[in-house]
């Protein structure tokens, strides 16, 4: 019986201690700075607020958590990402603001991105069945993520292929997909050269990949010369310059 009563008392004490600890944490300088940081992001960057998650990493100084706080970021005007330092100021009884310390914040940016289902070889076609949308932290992502709307817009203009080898569950970036090249290295093509009313045709070999309307290098074995030519179709280019 005594053992049961003792267990109940210990349980109540643990619950009470946890509640008090939670209250102490909510009234801590870190919690006050956290609230001030969230308010700052919402007011300064309302269009990006839902994409940003700010966390307090470190607080230094004599900060009164019961006073009104204001944060000032060093990188004013731009949306902060990653580690950023902020000055903490408190409002005094006289109504003025005074320096109270500083805080180190970690600002993470989230976005709706596309990820791959499986591995995709360079040059292989990529379509809606090969990707899926995910809400992810893109703070440390190198390059701009490819959004679903941009992917759909590119597909409406024609098929897409992988510009490089893509591993499984990779976050797609804007440079990871592209339309297929119209010509590539080793492609046999006809180069047309117009002089006055006469048009000449030379059989050439393409030296580099290119889209329609791009200028690429081609080589003609008959003349043993290299030219710059503008891609017209998959089988025809137009002379631009003799190299």
């Amino acid at each position: 019986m005594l053992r049961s009563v003792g267990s109940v008392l210990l349980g109540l004490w643990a619950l009470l201690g946890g509640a008090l600890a939670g209250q102490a944490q909510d009234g801590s300088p870190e919690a006050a700075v956290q609230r001030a940081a969230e308010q700052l992001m919402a007011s300064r960057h309302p269009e990006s607020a839902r994409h940003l998650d700010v966390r307090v990493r470190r607080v230094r100084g004599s900060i009164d958590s019961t006073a009104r706080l204001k944060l000032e970021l060093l990188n004013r005007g731009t949306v902060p990402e990653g580690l950023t330092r902020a000055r903490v100021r408190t409002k005094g009884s006289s109504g003025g603001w005074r320096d109270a310390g500083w805080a180190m914040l970690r600002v993470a940016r989230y976005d709706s991105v596309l990820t791959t289902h499986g591995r995709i070889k360079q040059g292989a076609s990529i379509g809606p069945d090969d990707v899926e949308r995910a809400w992810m932290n893109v703070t440390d992502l190198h390059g701009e993520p490819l959004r679903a709307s941009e992917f759909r817009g590119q597909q409406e203009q024609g098929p897409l292929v992988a510009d490089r080898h893509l591993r499984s569950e990779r976050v797609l970036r804007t440079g990871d997909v592209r339309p297929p090249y119209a010509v590539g290295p080793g492609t046999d093509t006809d180069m047309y050269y117009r002089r006055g009313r006469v048009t000449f045709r030379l059989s050439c070999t393409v030296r580099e990949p290119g889209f329609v309307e791009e200028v690429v290098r081609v080589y003609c074995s008959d003349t043993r010369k290299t030219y710059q030519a503008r891609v017209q179709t998959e089988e025809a280019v137009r002379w631009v310059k003799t190299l």
Side-chain angles (χ1 to χ4, degrees), residues 68-146:
R68 185 179 174 185
L69 301 183
K70 181 174 70 172
L71 299 187
E72 294 182 354
L73 297 178
L74 300 181
N75 52 341
R76 298 180 179 180
T78 60
V79 180
E81 288 186 27
L83 289 176
T84 183
R85 183 166 170 164
R87 178 185 299 170
V88 182
R89 309 192 74 185
T90 59
K91 196 165 189 178
S93 56
S94 61
W97 294 93
R98 65 176 185 83
D99 291 339
W102 60 270
M104 185 65 71
L105 309 176
R106 169 74 178 181
V107 183
R109 180 168 67 95
Y110 285 78
D111 208 339
S112 179
V113 298
L114 294 176
T115 61
T116 55
H117 283 308
R119 291 183 297 176
I120 302 175
K121 294 182 179 179
Q122 182 178 13
S125 62
I126 179 171
D129 295 337
D130 301 309
V131 299
E132 63 179 353
R133 289 206 304 179
W135 184 257
M136 295 182 62
N137 184 349
V138 296
T139 308
D140 300 320
L141 181 68
H142 296 291
E144 188 65 22
L146 179 64

Side-chain angles (χ1 to χ4, degrees), residues 8 18 30-31 41 75 125-126 147 179 237:
V8 172
E30 289 79 5
M41 295 301 168
N75 52 341
S125 62
I126 179 171
R147 295 171 178 81
V237 298

Side-chain angles (χ1 to χ4, degrees), residues 36-51:
E38 293 172 354
Q39 294 171 1
L40 176 64
M41 295 301 168
S43 61
R44 278 187 51 179
H45 308 288
E47 72 287 348
S48 306
R50 76 179 190 91
H51 292 265

Side-chain angles (χ1 to χ4, degrees), residues 191-194 213-216 218 226-232 237-243:
M191 185 183 74
Y192 292 87
Y193 173 67
R194 185 182 181 89
E213 293 302 323
E214 276 195 330
V215 174
V216 298
V218 299
T226 300
Y227 306 89
Q228 283 186 341
R230 190 176 305 277
V231 180
Q232 302 295 300
V237 298
R238 188 166 297 278
W239 176 89
V240 173
K241 182 180 180 181
T242 303
L243 299 178

Side-chain angles (χ1 to χ4, degrees), residues 134-171:
W135 184 257
M136 295 182 62
N137 184 349
V138 296
T139 308
D140 300 320
L141 181 68
H142 296 291
E144 188 65 22
L146 179 64
R147 295 171 178 81
S149 58
E150 297 171 346
F151 184 71
R152 288 194 302 270
Q154 293 183 44
Q155 279 198 312
E156 291 174 356
Q157 300 178 11
L160 296 175
V161 298
D163 192 50
R164 56 180 58 85
H165 179 81
L166 304 175
R167 66 178 184 277
S168 178
E169 298 181 354
R170 173 190 172 94
V171 177

Side-chain angles (χ1 to χ4, degrees), residues 193-211:
Y193 173 67
R194 185 182 181 89
R195 176 175 290 180
R197 296 182 179 181
V198 180
T199 299
F200 299 92
R201 179 174 62 85
L202 294 175
S203 297
C204 298
T205 302
V206 179
R207 293 302 195 198
E208 57 190 347
F211 301 108

